[in-house]
C-alpha cells in the first residue's frame, strides 16, 4: 500500500493537491485539497452591493465573467429588479461565448495532452494524418503539406530543448494509446485552437469592452448602448454583423474540429468509458433563458437533480436545500463545525490547522482543504457539462437528447458510458456544440429588438439606494462552464453585510463532509488502475476531466504562515 501525492496538479487554474491510496495497482481512496486561501467573500463585506460584481469577477481569470452574472443577479433578486430583455440577451452572449471558448481551451490546452503523446506525433506519416483528417471532418486545413509543416514546427521546439507549452508531459507513458498519426492531428489542432480562441473572444471585447473581465455589467442591466443610427453605439447594425460572424466561427470550429476530434480519440480509450465515474448524483441550476429568466422552463439547459444515475427521474431544485460543511475544511463556524450552513447564513472564518510545510502528507482524518464541502439535501453532487447533459437528457430536452444519442451511436456505446471520465469529456464537447449553435439566435434577437426600436438595456428604477429597504437578501444562480454557480447576498443599511459564493469547483473538488462522505473528485478516483505510481497519468485524466478551477473554488497567501487582517470598509 502506498500514498501517491500530486501537488500541484498542473494545467488548471489555482492550487490543487490530490493524495491517493494505491493498493494492488488500483486507487482505494483519495483526498482532494485546495491549498490556497483567497477571501474575496470577506473583502466584500461593508461594500456597496452595486459594485460587488466588479470584485467577484476577480475570483477567477479563467471563467472571466461568470461571477459578475451571479453577482448582479443576486443583487437584482434582493432588490426586486427586473432587467430589460436586451440585458438578458447580451448576458447570454457574453456567458455563452465564454462557455464555448472555455470548453475549447479545456479540451485542447488543459486536457488533450493527458491523451495525446506529443513525442509520438513526430513519428507520424503526414500523408496518413491528412487522410484521417479528411475522413472525419470537412475542415479545409487537412493537406499533407499542412501536417508536415506542423510536424516540422513541433520538431523544432523539441530539438531546441525548450519544450515550452509541451514541457513536463509524461511522454512515452504506456497508457498513451493513439497512433502517431492521430497524435499529430491533435497537436495540429491544439495550435489551431490557440489561434481561434483568441480571435473568437472579441465577442467580449465588443460587448464587454475587454477580455478577460468584461466591464459592461450593471445591477439592473448592462451598460452596452444600443442605437440603430449611431456608429459610436456598442450595438448597431454594423456590430450585429460582426457578432454574427463570430457566432458562426464558433459553430464552425466546434463542428469542424472539436466534435470530430473527440469522436476520433475516444475509441482508443474505451477503458475510460467505465472509469472515473464518481458520485452518480448530478445538479444543474439551469440557465440561458430564451425569454423570461425567472422561468426555468425557458432555459437552454434545464434545472434539476438526478440521483444515483437514475435517468428516469429529474428532481426539482430547491435552493433552500444547499449547505456547506467545514468539518474537513480550514474554517471555523460559530456554533461548531459539525453543522453545515446554508449560504445565506454562511461564514468565512479561515483557520489553518494543517501541518507546517514542508510535510509529506496532509492529516486527512482532520481538516485538509481550503474548499468547503457543498451539499444538496445532504448529498454530494457533481456539477458541470456532464451534469447539465445528464439532467437535460433525463428531462427529455430534444437538443440534448439528439446530441447525446448521436454521439453514443457514433461511438457504438450505451448511455451508461456517460458516467465516466470520457463521458465528462464528451458531454463538454456536445454542450459546446449546443451552445455554439445557439449564439447566432441570440444575435438575431438583439438585431430584431434593434430594428424595432427596442433599445432599453438598463433598468434604473432601483439605482438610488434611497429606494432600498433597510435590509434585503437574495441569491443569483448561473450555469458557468464548470457547473452550477450561486452567490448569496445579505444587504443591511445599503451595504453588504454578508456575501457567500458557492462555486462549481467547490462542488466537485470539495473535501469530505461531517459524515465522512467524499466529494466528486474523491469518489471518481476510486478503483482507477495506475500503471506507474511515479507518473500518475491516470489521476490527471480523471481530475482534469472535471476542468478544475481552484481560484474559483477557494475564492491571500502568506507562505510564512503569518497572521494578517483584511481592512474593512464600511
Ligand atoms: Ni475559475 Fe469557475 C466559476 C469554477 S466556472 S473557472 O464559477 O469552478 O467555469
Ligand atoms: Mg464560498
Amino acid at each position: 500500500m502506498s500514498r501517491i501525492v500530486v501537488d500541484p496538479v498542473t494545467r488548471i487554474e489555482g492550487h490543487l493537491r490530490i493524495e491517493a491510496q494505491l493498493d494492488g495497482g488500483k486507487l482505494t481512496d483519495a483526498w482532494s485539497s485546495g491549498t490556497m486561501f483567497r477571501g474575496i467573500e470577506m473583502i466584500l463585506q461593508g461594500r456597496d452591493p452595486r459594485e460587488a460584481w466588479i470584485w467577484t469577477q476577480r475570483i477567477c481569470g479563467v471563467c472571466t465573467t461568470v461571477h459578475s452574472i451571479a453577482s448582479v443577479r443576486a443583487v437584482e433578486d434582493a432588490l426586486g429588479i427586473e432587467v430589460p430583455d436586451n440585458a438578458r440577451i447580451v448576458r447570454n452572449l457574453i456567458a455563452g461565448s465564454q462557455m464555448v471558448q472555455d470548453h475549447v481551451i479545456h479540451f485542447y490546452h488543459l486536457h488533450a495532452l493527458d491523451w495525446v503523446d506529443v513525442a509520438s506525433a513526430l513519428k507520424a506519416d503526414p500523408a496518413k494524418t491528412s487522410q484521417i483528417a479528411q475522413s472525419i471532418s470537412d475542415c479545409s486545413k487537412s493537406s499533407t503539406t499542412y501536417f508536415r509543416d506542423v510536424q516540422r514546427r513541433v520538431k523544432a521546439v523539441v530539438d531546441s530543448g525548450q519544450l515550452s507549452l509541451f514541457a513536463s508531459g509524461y511522454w512515452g507513458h504506456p497508457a498513451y494509446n493513439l497512433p502517431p498519426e492521430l497524435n499529430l492531428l491533435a497537436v495540429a489542432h491544439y495550435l489551431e485552437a490557440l489561434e481561434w480562441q483568441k480571435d473568437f473572444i472579441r465577442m467580449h471585447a465588443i460587448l464587454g469592452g475587454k477580455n478577460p473581465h468584461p466591464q459592461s455589467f450593471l445591477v439592473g442591466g448592462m451598460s452596452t448602448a444600443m442605437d440603430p443610427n449611431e456608429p459610436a453605439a456598442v450595438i448597431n447594425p454594423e456590430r450585429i454583423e460582426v457578432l454574427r460572424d463570430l457566432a458562426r466561427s464558433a459553430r464552425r470550429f466546434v463542428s469542424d474540429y472539436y466534435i470530430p476530434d473527440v469522436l476520433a480519440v475516444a475509441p482508443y480509450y474505451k477503458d475510460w468509458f467505465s472509469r472515473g465515474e464518481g458520485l452518480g448524483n448530478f445538479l444543474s441550476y439551469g440557465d440561458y433563458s430564451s425569454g423570461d429568466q425567472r422561468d426555468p422552463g425557458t432555459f437552454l439547459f434545464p434545472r434539476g437533480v438526478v440521483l444515483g444515475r437514475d435517468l428516469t427521474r429529474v428532481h426539482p431544485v430547491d435552493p433552500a436545500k444547499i449547505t456547506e460543511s467545514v468539518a474537513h475544511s480550514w474554517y471555523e463556524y460559530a456554533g461548531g463545525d459539525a453543522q453545515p450552513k446554508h449560504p445565506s447564513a454562511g461564514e468565512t472564518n479561515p483557520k489553518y490547522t494543517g501541518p507546517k510545510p514542508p510535510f509529506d502528507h496532509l492529516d486527512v482524518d482532520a481538516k485538509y482543504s481550503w474548499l468547503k464541502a457543498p451539499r444538496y439535501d445532504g448529498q454530494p453532487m457533481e456539477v458541470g457539462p456532464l451534469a447539465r447533459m445528464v439532467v437535460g437528457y433525463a428531462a427529455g430536452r430534444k437538443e440534448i437528447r439528439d446530441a447525446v444519442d448521436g454521439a453514443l451511436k457514433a461511438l457504438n456505446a450505451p448511455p451508461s458510458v456517460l458516467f465516466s471520465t470520457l463521458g465528462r469529456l464528451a458531454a463538454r464537447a456536445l454542450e459546446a456544440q449546443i451552445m455554439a449553435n445557439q449564439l447566432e439566435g441570440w444575435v438575431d434577437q438583439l438585431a430584431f429588438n434593434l430594428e424595432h426600436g427596442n433599445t432599453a438595456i438598463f433598468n434604473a428604477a432601483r439605482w438610488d439606494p434611497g429606494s432600498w429597504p433597510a435590509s434585503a437578501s437574495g441569491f443569483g444562480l448561473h450555469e458557468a462552464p464548470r457547473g452550477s454557480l450561486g452567490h448569496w447576498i445579505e444587504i443591511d443599511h445599503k451595504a453588504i453585510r454578508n456575501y457567500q459564493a458557492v462555486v462549481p469547483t467547490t462542488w466537485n473538488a470539495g473535501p469530505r463532509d461531517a459524515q465522512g462522505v467524499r466529494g466528486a473528485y474523491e469518489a471518481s478516483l476510486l478503483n482507477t488502475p495506475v500503471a506507474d505510481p511515479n507518473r500518475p497519468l491516470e489521476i490527471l485524466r480523471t481530475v482534469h476531466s472535471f476542468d478544475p478551477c481552484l481560484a474559483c473554488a477557494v475564492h491571500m497567501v502568506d507562505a510564512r504562515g503569518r497572521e494578517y487582517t483584511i481592512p474593512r470598509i464600511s
Side-chain angles (χ1 to χ4, degrees):
M1 213 146 80
S2 64
R3 183 70 66 92
I4 301 178
V5 177
V6 190
D7 183 10
V9 176
T10 56
R11 290 202 178 234
I12 61 167
E13 164 79 358
H15 304 51
L16 174 67
R17 174 184 176 102
I18 297 289
E19 294 196 11
Q21 199 69 37
L22 185 68
D23 199 0
K26 284 190 172 182
L27 300 180
T28 54
D29 211 342
W31 297 268
S32 165
S33 172
T35 60
M36 169 185 67
F37 173 66
R38 300 187 70 223
I40 303 251
E41 289 154 325
M42 299 156 78
I43 292 170
L44 285 163
Q45 292 171 10
R47 292 187 186 275
D48 187 322
R50 292 169 301 177
E51 69 182 48
W53 68 267
I54 305 177
W55 296 90
T56 59
Q57 188 163 224
R58 269 66 185 173
I59 285 174
C60 186
V62 172
C63 54
T64 76
T65 195
V66 305
H67 296 285
S68 309
I69 293 184
S71 182
V72 289
R73 282 183 180 165
V75 183
E76 287 157 359
D77 179 50
L79 299 174
I81 298 170
E82 274 182 44
V83 304
D85 194 42
N86 288 318
R88 167 190 66 81
I89 301 167
V90 170
R91 289 178 186 179
N92 278 353
L93 279 170
I94 290 180
S97 54
Q98 154 72 22
M99 178 175 277
V100 178
Q101 186 214 27
D102 205 76
H103 286 1
V104 166
I105 292 175
H106 175 263
F107 177 66
Y108 288 100
H109 309 126
L110 305 182
H111 198 27
L113 300 186
D114 296 339
W115 312 94
V116 171
D117 186 344
V118 177
S120 151
L122 299 178
K123 298 183 204 129
D125 173 353
K128 281 194 195 150
T129 305
S130 165
Q131 277 168 13
I132 296 172
Q134 290 174 8
S135 73
I136 63 172
S137 163
D138 295 334
C139 160
S140 58
K141 288 187 174 180
S142 61
S143 67
T144 303
T145 319
Y146 166 75
F147 286 111
R148 188 174 294 130
D149 183 53
V150 171
Q151 203 176 32
R152 206 176 290 139
R153 284 163 64 198
V154 173
K155 186 166 184 310
V157 171
V158 171
D159 288 348
S160 74
Q162 295 180 324
L163 284 176
S164 170
L165 72 181
F166 299 133
S168 302
Y170 293 141
W171 313 133
H173 191 291
Y176 281 119
N177 289 349
L178 298 184
E181 284 69 28
L182 258 185
N183 282 316
L184 177 59
L185 179 116
V187 171
H189 293 176
Y190 179 115
L191 300 171
E192 292 295 337
L194 269 182
E195 285 296 316
W196 174 80
Q197 58 85 26
K198 178 191 74 183
D199 292 337
F200 171 64
I201 210 59
R202 280 168 54 219
M203 181 93 73
H204 280 199
I206 293 170
L207 295 174
K210 69 189 272 286
N211 175 273
H213 300 144
Q215 292 297 287
S216 54
F217 290 91
L218 285 170
V219 166
M222 300 296 289
S223 65
T224 31
M226 292 177 69
D227 190 328
N229 306 309
E230 174 54 72
V234 172
I235 299 168
N236 59 31
E238 196 188 330
R239 286 288 154 54
I240 290 281
E241 288 316 309
V242 179
L243 293 173
R244 208 187 290 288
D245 282 350
L246 288 167
R248 287 176 183 165
S249 101
R251 206 165 65 194
R252 271 196 310 272
F253 192 88
V254 174
S255 64
D256 285 358
Y257 290 87
Y258 191 1
I259 296 285
D261 288 352
V262 169
L263 293 178
V265 168
Y268 291 89
Y269 290 106
K270 286 214 158 114
D271 286 353
W272 291 88
F273 282 147
S274 57
R275 289 184 193 157
E277 300 162 68
L279 299 168
N281 295 336
F282 300 92
L283 165 69
S284 166
Y285 297 151
D287 206 347
Y288 301 95
S289 171
S290 56
D292 182 352
Q293 185 70 39
R294 292 164 305 183
D295 174 9
T298 64
F299 291 171
L300 178 64
F301 301 132
R303 176 173 290 184
V305 169
V306 165
L307 295 173
R309 292 183 206 143
D310 178 3
L311 291 171
T312 67
R313 226 173 134 200
V314 179
H315 302 264
V317 173
D318 176 1
K321 293 184 177 172
I322 296 164
T323 57
E324 287 190 300
S325 163
V326 295
H328 286 279
S329 315
W330 289 310
Y331 298 93
E332 280 182 318
Y333 275 170
D337 298 347
Q339 277 302 319
K341 284 185 188 285
H342 186 264
S344 64
E347 296 173 13
T348 306
N349 307 317
K351 190 182 182 198
Y352 182 73
T353 53
K356 257 193 145 134
F359 56 83
D360 291 333
H361 299 142
L362 291 164
D363 182 1
V364 293
D365 294 329
K367 295 180 179 242
Y368 62 90
S369 179
W370 282 114
L371 275 64
K372 296 176 182 172
R375 295 292 181 262
Y376 181 78
D377 205 10
Q379 300 206 57
M381 295 284 148
E382 173 169 346
V383 300
L386 178 57
R388 288 186 285 253
M389 293 301 103
V390 163
V391 169
Y393 193 89
R397 200 54 78 81
K398 186 169 179 337
E399 307 93 302
I400 297 176
R401 281 244 164 196
D402 288 352
V404 172
D405 286 338
L408 292 172
K409 192 159 170 236
L411 295 171
N412 194 17
S416 61
V417 305
L418 279 171
F419 308 117
S420 69
T421 298
L422 267 187
R424 228 167 259 125
L425 208 145
R428 187 174 293 106
L430 298 175
E431 176 171 88
Q433 188 170 41
I434 292 169
M435 183 57 87
N437 290 345
Q438 176 62 47
L439 292 175
E440 195 175 348
W442 288 325
V443 177
D444 287 342
Q445 287 185 352
L446 210 51
F448 181 88
N449 288 351
L450 192 68
E451 278 162 24
H452 291 79
N454 173 5
T455 56
I457 199 159
F458 171 57
N459 172 359
R462 290 277 186 166
W463 189 251
D464 176 5
S467 70
W468 301 357
S471 65
S473 57
F475 61 94
L477 306 179
H478 175 50
E479 283 296 326
R482 286 158 193 76
S484 304
L485 169 66
H487 285 200
W488 278 258
I489 190 167
E490 305 294 311
I491 303 171
D492 231 347
H493 295 96
K494 311 184 196 337
I496 297 171
R497 183 170 56 73
N498 198 16
Y499 201 100
Q500 292 286 317
V502 184
V503 179
T505 298
T506 324
W507 281 100
N508 288 337
R512 284 155 168 75
D513 57 26
Q515 282 68 44
V517 177
R518 295 180 187 89
Y521 288 10
E522 297 178 333
S524 70
L525 289 169
L526 299 182
N527 298 317
T528 301
V530 173
D532 177 355
N534 293 315
R535 296 190 296 167
L537 181 61
E538 297 87 350
I539 293 179
L540 294 185
R541 283 181 175 168
T542 290
V543 171
H544 283 165
S545 74
F546 287 91
D547 194 0
C549 180
L550 273 288
C552 270
V554 186
H555 20 276
M556 245 164 274
V557 187
D558 186 333
R560 295 184 196 87
R562 286 181 303 217
E563 288 193 17
Y564 53 86
T565 50
I566 293 171
R568 246 181 102 142
I569 302 167
S570 54

